[in-house]
Amino acid sequence: MTQYLNQLNTADKLATEPWPEDATIYQPYEAEQILLPENASCLAVKAYLKMCNLPFGVRSCANAEHMSPGGRMTKLPFIRAGAFIFAEFEPIVNFVEQKDMAIGSWQDEDEKADMRTYVSLVENIFTMAELYISFKNERVYKEVTAPRNGVVFPWPLNHMQNYGKRRNALKLLKVYQWDDLDIESVIEKVAKCCETLEYKLKEIPDTPFFYGDQPCELDAIAFGHLFSILTTNLPNMALAQTVQKFKHLVEFCRFVDEKYFQTRFLPE
């Protein structure tokens, strides 16, 4: 009973407190450290908060992953908002929704349920594919993943960190039954996910977002993963080459980037 009352009090506090002006996203260093799956998750959160028009800062830390309270997949990013700390995309979205500041409030319950099915599909398929290419592909691991992940640690700690990180990634791939897949099977899963997303995007013609003229949770997480895949240079570009085949998704990424970020990393 006491635990239930504490949960109610926490929920009330979340709902009544205003959005803190000093809300901060914590992530690894972008230029030299962050990996593809982490970058996708961090970008999805940034896109979501920008779509909600909520102010936030970004703090890069060498040990951001170890500072995180944990999570289901990448543990990143995590956000400190007042007295609260949440990690990964979905818990952060839930936090914003409890404060009645979320995009997608215009959707009815059936549409929200439909939308969350797509969100789950995007997060699971793309995160697993990003982990696979980063940790199972030997050339990508040796030339990109290991050097970037270990760059902030001195020898021999960098090798220990890389060993632990790879072991955890391979364990996660095994849990989701991706560890025994070959690259062709991974690409096939990514292509089917992209096909599903493109079909959804074209369902309402002449609108920029998945559910019409206004963004929702799906727009943020799809952009985070698709844009990160398209703009990350790897020795094996199979994921990016697959996404590039879906022109509506590429145009969607270009639109969201220009509207909220203005990086212009995607050429016309």
Side-chain angles (χ1 to χ4, degrees):
M1 183 67 178
T2 302
Q3 184 180 4
Y4 176 69
L5 290 174
N6 287 338
Q7 289 175 342
L8 285 178
N9 290 334
T10 300
D12 289 341
K13 191 174 181 183
L14 281 172
T16 56
E17 283 192 358
W19 181 260
E21 290 296 321
D22 62 346
T24 304
I25 288 175
Y26 289 79
Q27 64 172 49
Y29 290 104
E30 282 190 9
E32 60 268 70
Q33 184 189 16
I34 200 168
L35 304 178
L36 173 58
E38 300 164 350
N39 187 57
S41 182
C42 291
L43 185 59
V45 170
K46 293 174 191 173
Y48 182 79
L49 294 179
K50 282 179 176 286
M51 289 173 178
C52 293
N53 200 29
L54 294 173
F56 64 92
V58 178
R59 182 176 176 184
S60 298
C61 304
N63 60 340
E65 181 184 1
H66 304 291
M67 294 167 61
S68 170
R72 193 166 60 93
M73 293 186 173
T74 65
K75 301 181 183 177
L76 293 167
F78 72 92
I79 188 169
R80 180 183 58 77
F84 301 100
I85 297 177
F86 297 93
E88 292 193 348
F89 182 81
E90 200 61 36
I92 293 172
V93 169
N94 291 339
F95 168 60
V96 175
E97 285 182 338
Q98 289 184 51
K99 303 178 81 62
D100 291 329
M101 298 175 177
I103 50 174
S105 57
W106 44 272
Q107 294 177 304
D108 60 34
E109 289 304 314
D110 289 340
E111 199 166 62
K112 282 184 179 179
D114 179 71
M115 180 266 294
R116 283 172 178 145
T117 301
Y118 283 99
V119 168
S120 179
L121 174 71
V122 168
E123 183 170 45
N124 289 338
I125 295 295
F126 285 122
T127 303
M128 288 300 112
E130 292 154 5
L131 286 169
Y132 184 98
I133 203 74
S134 299
F135 291 95
K136 286 278 284 185
N137 184 281
E138 283 298 324
R139 189 179 172 198
V140 173
Y141 179 76
K142 289 178 179 178
E143 296 182 19
V144 177
T145 305
R148 288 182 68 85
N149 184 64
V151 69
V152 296
F153 302 97
W155 183 91
L157 189 58
N158 58 337
H159 293 289
M160 297 167 61
Q161 171 67 14
N162 284 338
Y163 174 80
K165 182 95 167 182
R166 192 180 203 188
R167 181 187 59 190
N168 291 337
L170 296 179
K171 188 184 298 183
L172 192 59
L173 288 169
K174 187 172 184 178
V175 168
Y176 284 85
Q177 300 181 334
W178 281 62
D179 59 318
D180 290 331
L181 298 180
D182 55 26
I183 187 63
E184 289 76 18
S185 300
V186 170
I187 294 307
E188 183 180 354
K189 284 179 176 289
V190 170
K192 285 182 178 178
C193 184
C194 288
E195 186 178 347
T196 301
L197 284 176
E198 186 158 89
Y199 181 83
K200 182 63 181 176
L201 189 62
K202 293 173 1 184
E203 209 169 51
I204 306 175
D206 302 321
T207 56
F209 299 110
F210 282 99
Y211 284 87
D213 292 319
Q214 300 180 66
C216 66
E217 186 179 334
L218 176 60
D219 296 287
I221 196 166
F223 170 76
H225 286 280
L226 293 169
F227 191 83
S228 294
I229 288 171
L230 288 168
T231 57
T232 300
N233 289 319
L234 298 174
N236 185 321
M237 294 295 288
L239 294 184
Q241 290 164 358
T242 302
V243 173
Q244 285 167 352
K245 295 176 182 177
F246 297 88
K247 302 304 180 185
H248 287 84
L249 296 183
V250 175
E251 187 56 39
F252 162 77
C253 288
R254 186 178 293 115
F255 169 79
V256 174
D257 175 50
E258 291 179 356
K259 183 173 179 64
Y260 297 103
F261 293 93
Q262 294 86 43
T263 67
R264 295 181 174 83
F265 284 159
L266 291 178
E268 292 290 341

